[in-house]
């Protein structure tokens, strides 16, 4: 195993000398971190990026270092998250040691537990501290990781020994098991052949790990590796100094003008709305500022030639909305933030409601401000709602999504196979105050396609209007999965549906009723008297069971009738994998959009691993077809699209023993479809 302990370091020395001192320290201990980095990454270029970010991050976080924690453990806690970030999208791998290839087969947390314990050489307590889990959880992860590696080494995937003794294996082989338990285990093993076999194979895996780890001691860091990192640090310092020389100077005339306007505001209170009308181009943010539910922030951070400005933040019971601007200072590129993809809140669990879900905000390239400059993009980011009345959001950004305009339509965004990212590090501390919401009970019930639907509550919040409704689930043969609205009208004022923040399901609140919420644009404190809810469409599921026998020895394609359609079984093949393909390319007047089915083998209850691929055609309300498999399709621009699945392919990798599965039955449970509506539910609160 590689050395785990690193000699103490003078924190005072590092603080005085800065980045150069951290580089010098890392130069002395590069091997241990280089090996740890290769456990996550697969390319030399990523390793250089890892060390560069690591040095910058350690320098920035140094004032927060607590001396009661070992310096090694503290810097490792910084090193691992950067490894995770860079390991998300790696592409093809460069040649790596056998140990790394073996560990790649494990689940993420199993792999990390194995790396920290058997490659880095940390104790269970130290590994648990780094992964923020209990010591017992670390042992569970080590056990399951070793079990997975056993399979790779040719052993059976499952242990056959007595389950109550599994928890002692690791401590026993590491010679840390308490003496009474050790004696009990040894007596049991003496009489139990299955446990003997299990423990022997378990020990084989650990010995293999130890042998591979010992070989890593001869693993050398490339000669030019640290020099490349040093060159990047020098370029960063040069850029920082150039940046400090550029200062924006505000003219005395402008300053005097705004001083005059501020004076008018103090005496009359009449300037605020006009001020935001003149100065704020983003209409949504302008409205929030005019309603006094948000304020300008103008927080800035710059990294890798890209400047990010946090323009404002508005928090309520629904979400925390952050308005931002991203400027590429070196090239003509536009970037956006994508939550949970290089963008996260470091103190999320402390100040936010983690049981909620953040909304997705698609890029808006049609707005005038985003058409004006090729290197500047203004957008918004939805974060979780606050659990406190006030707070400071610690927003960390390590990756930005590059916006690539469709060459045929400069207002459209393409994010298909050409996805590109900009990496760097931008950190913000954003002060927010949660604004109140107002709830109104509705108590209105109607029927849609013969199924009771109840409208329960309307919530008016600063960032959104929320309609809560419930659908009755007593009917089993037909049910409504989703109810879609085009807009909602409150006191003759229409607000649009939020396409990406709508119709997510809450937990069932009353027996036989399932509760949903749909989000609309904000109404800004409007007190509702009359509410009109236009129903646009519903998504239905029908239960209509049918069993089709399959026989791989027969010739295919073969057909069968279902839901008024003729469906073709194109392929039934046995192998590793086995394949079943069904299709129906006739979509005109078709009752279903997608079939719900599974493929069963000879043993009906035998667990098998399956993957399904689909092909389909989008059809809008007017009957226009869009082949989503041939051209990029902008769903939000299609008028109420229906997705007709034309081909469904099942790939069956095998049963739990890794054996071939012979497809015997096609078990159809039912189907899904969409129906368009033209009804309005009218609710009076007078």
């Amino acid at each position: 195993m590689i050395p785990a302990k690193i000699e103490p370091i003078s924190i005072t020395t590092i603080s005085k000398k800065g980045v150069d001192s951290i580089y010098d320290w890392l130069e002395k201990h590069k091997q241990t971190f280089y090996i740890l980095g290769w456990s996550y990454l697969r390319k030399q270029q990523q390793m250089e990026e890892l060390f560069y970010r690591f040095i910058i991050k350690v320098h920035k976080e140094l004032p927060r270092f607590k001396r009661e924690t070992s310096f090694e453990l503290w810097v490792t806690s910084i090193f691992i998250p950067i490894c995770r970030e860079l390991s998300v999208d790696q592409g093809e791998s460069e040649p790596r040691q056998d140990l790394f290839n073996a560990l790649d087969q494990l689940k993420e947390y199993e792999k990390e537990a194995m790396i920290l314990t058997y490659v880095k050489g940390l104790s269970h307590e130290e590994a648990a501290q780094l992964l923020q889990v209990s010591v017992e959880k670390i042992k569970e992860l080590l056990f399951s990781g070793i079990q997975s590696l056993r399979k790779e080494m040719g052993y059976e995937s499952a242990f056959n020994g007595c389950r109550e003794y599994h928890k002692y294996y690791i401590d026993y082989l590491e010679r840390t098991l308490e003496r009474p338990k050790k004696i009990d285990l040894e007596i049991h093993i003496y009489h139990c052949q299955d446990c003997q076999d299990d423990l022997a194979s378990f020990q084989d895996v650990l010995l293999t790990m130890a042998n591979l780890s010992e070989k890593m001691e001869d693993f050398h860091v490339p000669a030019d590796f640290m020099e490349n990192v040093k060159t990047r640090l020098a370029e960063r310092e040069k850029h920082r100094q150039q940046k400090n020389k550029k200062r924006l100077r505000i003219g005395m005339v402008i300053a005097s003008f705004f001083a005059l306007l501020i004076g008018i505001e103090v005496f009359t209170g009449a300037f605020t709305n006009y001020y935001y009308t003149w100065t704020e181009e983003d209409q949504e943010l302008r409205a929030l500022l005019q309603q006094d539910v948000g304020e300008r922030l103008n927080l800035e951070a710059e990294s890798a030639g890209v400047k990010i400005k946090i323009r404002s933040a508005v928090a309520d019971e629904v979400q925390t909305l952050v308005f931002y601007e991203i400027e590429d200072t070196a090239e003509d590129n536009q970037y956006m933030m994508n939550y949970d993809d290089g963008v996260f809140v470091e103190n999320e669990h402390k100040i936010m409601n983690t049981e909620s879900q953040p909304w997705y905000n698609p890029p808006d390239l049609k707005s005038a401000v985003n058409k004006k400059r090729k290197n500047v993009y203004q957008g918004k980011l939805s974060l979780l709602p606050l659990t406190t009345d006030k707070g400071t959001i610690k927003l960390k950004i390590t990756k930005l999504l590059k916006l690539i305009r469709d060459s045929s339509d400069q207002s459209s965004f393409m994010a298909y196979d050409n996805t590109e990212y900009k990496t760097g590090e931008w950190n913000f501390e954003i002060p927010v105050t949660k604004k109140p919401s107002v709830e109104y009970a509705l108590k209105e019930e109607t029927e849609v396609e013969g199924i009771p639907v109840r409208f329960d509550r309307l919530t008016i919040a600063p960032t959104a209007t929320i309609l809560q409704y419930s659908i009755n689930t007593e009917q089993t043969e037909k049910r409504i999965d989703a109810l879609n609205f085009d807009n909602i009208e409150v006191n003759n004022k229409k607000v649009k549906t939020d396409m990406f923040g709508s119709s997510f399901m809450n937990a069932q609140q009353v027996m036989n009723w399932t509760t949903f919420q749909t989000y609309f644009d904000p109404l800004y404190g409007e007190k509702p008297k009359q509410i009109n809810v236009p129903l646009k469409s519903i998504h239905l599921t029908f239960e209509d069971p049918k069993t089709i026998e399959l026989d791989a020895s027969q010739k295919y394609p073969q057909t069968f009738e279902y839901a008024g359609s003729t469906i073709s079984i194109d392929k039934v093949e046995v192998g590793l994998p086995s394949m079943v393909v069904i299709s129906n390319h006739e979509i005109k007047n078709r009752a279903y959009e997608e079939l719900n089915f599974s493929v069963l083998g000879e043993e009906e209850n035998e667990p098998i691993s399956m993957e399904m691929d689909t092909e389909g055609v989008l059809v809008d309300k007017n009957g226009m077809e869009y082949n989503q498999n041939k051209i990029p399709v902008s769903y939000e621009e299609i008028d109420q699209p229906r997705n007709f699945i034309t081909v469904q392919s099942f790939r069956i990798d095998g049963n739990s023993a890794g054996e071939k599965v012979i497809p015997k039955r096609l078990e159809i449970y039912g189907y899904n479809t969409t129906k368009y509506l033209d009804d309005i539910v009218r609710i009076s609160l007078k």
Side-chain angles (χ1 to χ4, degrees), residues 433-492:
T433 301
K434 185 166 61 176
K435 302 297 182 179
S437 305
V438 183
E439 295 183 356
Y440 300 91
L442 302 182
K443 299 180 182 179
E444 182 75 18
E445 188 169 325
T446 186
E447 281 196 357
V448 180
E449 289 292 309
I451 298 175
V453 175
R454 191 181 65 214
F455 293 89
D456 303 322
R457 186 172 63 201
L458 183 73
T459 301
I460 297 180
T463 67
T465 304
I466 309 165
L467 178 66
Q468 179 176 304
Y469 61 97
S470 301
I471 298 174
N472 189 275
T473 58
E474 289 182 274
Q475 294 187 38
T476 57
E477 68 279 0
K478 180 176 71 172
R479 66 176 182 270
I480 298 176
D481 297 314
L483 183 57
N484 302 311
F485 312 93
D486 187 30
N487 54 58
I488 189 172
E489 185 178 297
V490 178
N491 302 344
N492 297 318

Side-chain angles (χ1 to χ4, degrees), residues 409-439:
D409 180 4
Q410 288 296 299
S411 297
S412 299
F413 163 60
M414 295 180 65
Y416 305 99
D417 296 329
N418 299 320
T419 303
E420 296 181 29
Y421 294 96
K422 183 71 172 181
T423 57
E425 183 172 327
W426 302 264
N427 294 284
F428 294 95
E429 293 192 356
I430 307 172
V432 284
T433 301
K434 185 166 61 176
K435 302 297 182 179
S437 305
V438 183
E439 295 183 356

Side-chain angles (χ1 to χ4, degrees), residues 280 282 285 297-301 306-314 320-327 334-339 343 360-365 367 369-370 376-383 395 397 399-403 428 430:
E280 182 52 60
D282 186 322
L285 177 55
L297 294 175
N298 293 326
L299 306 174
E300 288 189 9
V306 173
K307 182 191 297 182
I308 299 179
K309 179 188 294 184
I310 303 300
R311 305 168 61 233
S312 185
V314 181
T320 303
L321 202 55
V322 176
F323 293 86
Y324 64 83
E325 177 181 288
I326 301 177
E327 178 185 357
Q334 290 180 306
Y335 298 97
M336 69 170 286
M337 297 186 198
N338 216 5
Y339 187 73
V343 180
Y360 171 67
N361 292 288
D364 181 11
L365 297 181
S367 68
V369 65
N370 287 330
V376 176
Y377 175 77
Q378 288 188 1
K380 60 181 179 180
L381 177 71
S382 176
L383 303 176
L395 186 65
I397 305 157
K399 186 166 64 173
L400 301 170
L401 175 62
K402 182 178 178 180
L403 298 175
F428 294 95
I430 307 172

Side-chain angles (χ1 to χ4, degrees), residues 652-669:
I652 310 168
D653 291 328
N655 59 21
S656 58
E659 300 167 336
K660 298 177 183 177
V661 171
I662 301 175
K664 287 294 185 180
R665 292 181 300 283
L666 183 68
E667 199 75 38
I668 301 177
Y669 309 113

Side-chain angles (χ1 to χ4, degrees), residues 240-251:
R240 187 185 68 82
Q241 292 178 0
Q242 290 175 344
K243 175 187 171 184
N244 289 339
K245 293 179 181 178
K246 297 178 181 179
R247 302 292 182 186
L248 296 177
R249 293 179 172 85
I250 302 175

